[in-house]
Amino acid sequence: MSTAYPATASPPRVAVLTGVGLAVPGLTLPDELLGTVRDGGFDPVTGLVGRDLRHKDRASRLALRAAAPALKDAGLFIDGSYHGVGDTTAVVVSTNVGILENVCSFADTIARDTVLGLSPLGLPQTSSNVIAGSVAMAHGLRGPNVTLCNGPTSGLDALYWARALIVTGRADTAVVIGVEPAGDIVTKLLGTPALDGAVALVLESAASAAERGATVRATVAGCARAADLAGAVARAGGLTPDLWLTEAADDPAGPRANAVLDPAAGLGAASGALGLLQAAAAIAHLDEHGGHTVLATCGGPEDDGVAAVFLTGPHHTP
């Protein structure tokens, strides 16, 4: 008589963060989002020039300048080239006003000179996915390519979808970028000075990171979106955060936390880059406090939803 044994289920795939890069005026490393002060930092005047950036829109140039140091930080960018597996590396970009100046410029040209005045070199810059495409082509990343433009929660939503691509096996690595370029049209639309910068994160499956001996900076422990803050936090896992990164520190529905901080304060309206700036600040915190849990939240009662992401340090004990 034979005995039937149940099939062994594969362990769930876990998404971890292994790299972070900034292209934010005046900043160099993510710990500066937590208050560390250094001289120098990224300068768009000198940092957004170069042969590799010719004929590219400002948002794409910013994204490229953030992606390269993030990949280098993760140990995937060596001697000027990508050393991961391009076929299984995704690019997920969050931007709400990234191509606004481009579209308005083309509309002005059409109104003045008709379509005959348009340059074919600039036409791709009117597509919202031009930023993700530029990063993918620059580094040979042939996995899923996604752009999100869905308001205040867009940055954390991008982190959610990058994690989903990894845990479902659609990708082993994901470059996640939040970018918003400044300009007169953007400032007029938002009614306030805007961020002129980008932040990039590298997510990997825990197995891929372990296989190549990468340093795990944080684990994406839970992501969720809900109609309100309490619902989003609960759906994301309801963990107790040591640090809460948010714009909504006065929300009575907020979780208890030992510290509350808005890392994007003073940088201008961060829009689609906000959630990823929060995640970069979380990495800096967890570099120092590896057993902690950090919560990032975006959106509020006046928006169409709230996004929440829990990040835990490499020494966190559930």
Side-chain angles (χ1 to χ4, degrees), residues 49-108:
V49 295
R51 191 171 183 177
D52 59 321
L53 301 183
R54 290 179 62 188
H55 306 304
K56 289 184 170 56
D57 62 291
R58 189 175 188 85
S60 293
R61 286 183 282 152
L62 286 164
L64 286 164
R65 287 297 183 255
L71 290 169
K72 184 176 181 179
D73 189 41
L76 289 168
F77 192 66
I78 304 170
D79 296 329
S81 62
Y82 182 61
H83 277 237
V85 181
D87 289 341
T88 59
T89 302
V91 180
V92 183
V93 168
S94 167
T95 184
N96 289 321
V97 296
I99 62 166
L100 179 62
E101 297 267 351
N102 311 337
V103 171
C104 290
S105 175
F106 263 60
D108 290 343

Side-chain angles (χ1 to χ4, degrees), residues 111-211:
R112 184 181 63 249
D113 304 323
T114 75
V115 294
L116 297 177
L118 297 178
S119 167
L121 289 176
L123 188 59
Q125 298 174 12
T126 60
S127 166
S128 60
N129 207 52
V130 65
I131 306 165
S134 294
V135 173
M137 287 187 289
H139 299 291
L141 312 180
R142 297 177 293 275
N145 193 280
V146 183
T147 297
L148 283 78
C149 313
N150 60 319
T153 65
S154 187
L156 292 183
D157 291 341
L159 200 58
Y160 170 93
W161 284 109
R163 175 180 182 253
L165 289 170
I166 289 172
V167 300
T168 58
R170 291 291 306 279
D172 291 324
T173 307
V175 181
V176 192
I177 301 169
V179 56
E180 297 293 7
D184 293 340
I185 295 174
V186 171
T187 300
K188 184 176 181 180
L189 174 70
L190 300 179
T192 184
L195 172 75
D196 188 33
V199 54
L201 305 176
V202 177
L203 267 70
E204 298 183 62
S205 69
S208 294
E211 183 178 353

Side-chain angles (χ1 to χ4, degrees), residues 207-232:
S208 294
E211 183 178 353
R212 66 183 190 87
T215 299
V216 172
R217 314 282 287 281
T219 298
V220 185
C223 304
R225 199 173 192 275
D228 54 39
L229 177 62

Side-chain angles (χ1 to χ4, degrees), residues 32-56:
E32 292 168 88
L33 293 167
L34 299 176
T36 299
V37 178
R38 293 187 182 88
D39 293 330
F42 179 74
D43 180 1
V45 175
T46 58
L48 295 182
V49 295
R51 191 171 183 177
D52 59 321
L53 301 183
R54 290 179 62 188
H55 306 304
K56 289 184 170 56

